[in-house]
Amino acid sequence: EPEVTQTPSHQVTQMGQEVILRCVPISNHLYFYWYRQILGQKVEFLVSFYNNEISEKSEIFDDQFSVERPDGSNFTLKIRSTKLEDSAMYFCASDQGEWLYEQYFGPGTRLTVT
Amino acid sequence: GIQVEQSPPDLILQEGANSTLRCNFSDSVNNLQWFHQNPWGQLINLFYIPSGTKQNGRLSATTVATERYSLLYISSSQTTDSGVYFCAVESQTSGSRLTFGEGTQLTVNP
């Protein structure tokens, strides 16, 4: 069964460094998402992406964040200058359309900022 | 935005017991999904259930969209069922984002 994959599974970085989290969505899916979960809290939406542009973003997704689909398979989340409060689990998800479709989640990348 | 409330926040069971988890939401939805977060932090899709009833083994779910709630039933619970169960909804008025509830922490003791 097709699945969403994410790399790395765990990344440790120093405050102020740039990180890029990578995702490979399911191949015939059109919408891509990033969510994050701070330890012990609920999962929060960051951004959705369709047709090579951001379709929706949350208040969390400020200028420090950016997303890109650099080729036909990868979908990336970049954090330009990490802060301690960026430490979280980051999930990538994808689905086939804008509404009425199940979102499939990747296994997550645990980001630790020291 | 849409509000999602899950109850109970914590649930402790003995192995073999049955349980019902509830998800209430404040607006009409296009999509509702139930997830199980395992001890490694992965979100496992349990059900995609915007309306109606579905069953998968010992788990079943019912969504009554007109009354804005969904229920997840776990029968004959096992220790491997332990973890956090999340309900997530896609509002009809806020694009395709999923809004998650706070989750129910389930502990099944042997």
Side-chain angles (χ1 to χ4, degrees), chain A residues 29-77:
Chain A
H29 285 188
L30 301 176
Y31 279 80
F32 314 121
Y33 307 85
W34 284 102
Y35 294 82
R36 81 169 186 192
Q37 183 185 31
I38 295 171
L39 187 64
Q41 298 185 19
K42 65 179 180 180
V43 180
E44 302 172 290
F45 168 79
L46 291 178
V47 66
S48 60
F49 191 86
Y50 169 71
N51 200 25
N52 274 325
E53 61 183 27
I54 291 173
S55 57
E56 190 183 4
K57 61 183 181 179
S58 72
E59 314 74 44
I60 303 168
F61 193 87
D62 61 22
D63 292 343
Q64 292 296 312
F65 293 91
S66 62
V67 288
E68 191 180 27
R69 188 153 165 85
D71 53 42
S73 59
N74 290 283
F75 179 51
T76 62
L77 174 69

Side-chain angles (χ1 to χ4, degrees), chain B residues 15-108:
Chain B
E15 204 166 22
N18 302 328
S19 61
T20 301
L21 282 57
R22 187 176 181 101
C23 172
N24 292 332
F25 42 95
S26 62
D27 202 355
S28 300
V29 298
N30 289 321
N31 174 11
L32 187 145
Q33 295 182 230
W34 282 97
F35 297 89
H36 175 214
Q37 187 163 42
N38 65 20
W40 297 271
Q42 296 175 337
L43 288 172
I44 310 300
N45 285 41
L46 296 178
F47 292 102
Y48 165 70
I49 186 165
S51 64
T53 297
K54 290 186 177 179
Q55 179 154 9
N56 184 5
R58 296 181 296 104
L59 302 182
S60 64
T62 294
T63 298
V64 184
T66 53
E67 296 187 22
R68 299 182 182 170
Y69 74 88
S70 183
L71 302 173
L72 177 68
Y73 305 96
I74 305 174
S75 64
S76 304
S77 57
Q78 301 175 358
T79 56
T80 52
D81 294 331
S82 296
V84 183
Y85 288 80
F86 288 104
C87 166
V89 302
E90 177 189 307
S91 167
Q92 288 187 356
T93 58
S94 65
S96 56
R97 67 167 73 183
L98 285 178
T99 300
F100 282 73
E102 299 281 345
T104 292
Q105 173 75 59
L106 175 65
T107 302
V108 181

Side-chain angles (χ1 to χ4, degrees), chain A:
Chain A
E1 184 175 325
E3 58 183 16
V4 177
T5 59
Q6 291 186 242
T7 54
S9 57
H10 190 189
Q11 178 145 6
V12 181
T13 189
Q14 289 192 326
M15 200 166 49
Q17 296 297 304
E18 174 183 288
V19 295
I20 297 176
L21 309 182
R22 291 182 168 80
C23 168
V24 179
I26 294 174
S27 61
N28 65 340
H29 285 188
L30 301 176
Y31 279 80
F32 314 121
Y33 307 85
W34 284 102
Y35 294 82
R36 81 169 186 192
Q37 183 185 31
I38 295 171
L39 187 64
Q41 298 185 19
K42 65 179 180 180
V43 180
E44 302 172 290
F45 168 79
L46 291 178
V47 66
S48 60
F49 191 86
Y50 169 71
N51 200 25
N52 274 325
E53 61 183 27
I54 291 173
S55 57
E56 190 183 4
K57 61 183 181 179
S58 72
E59 314 74 44
I60 303 168
F61 193 87
D62 61 22
D63 292 343
Q64 292 296 312
F65 293 91
S66 62
V67 288
E68 191 180 27
R69 188 153 165 85
D71 53 42
S73 59
N74 290 283
F75 179 51
T76 62
L77 174 69
K78 181 192 291 186
I79 309 174
R80 287 191 182 80
S81 178
T82 50
K83 307 170 194 170
L84 294 176
E85 53 264 36
D86 293 327
S87 294
M89 181 78 100
Y90 288 81
F91 294 102
C92 175
S94 68
D95 66 23
Q96 292 178 284
E98 188 170 9
W99 296 302
L100 302 177
Y101 290 97
E102 181 176 3
Q103 287 188 24
Y104 291 82
F105 280 69
T109 292
R110 186 171 299 283
L111 176 66
T112 303
V113 182
T114 61

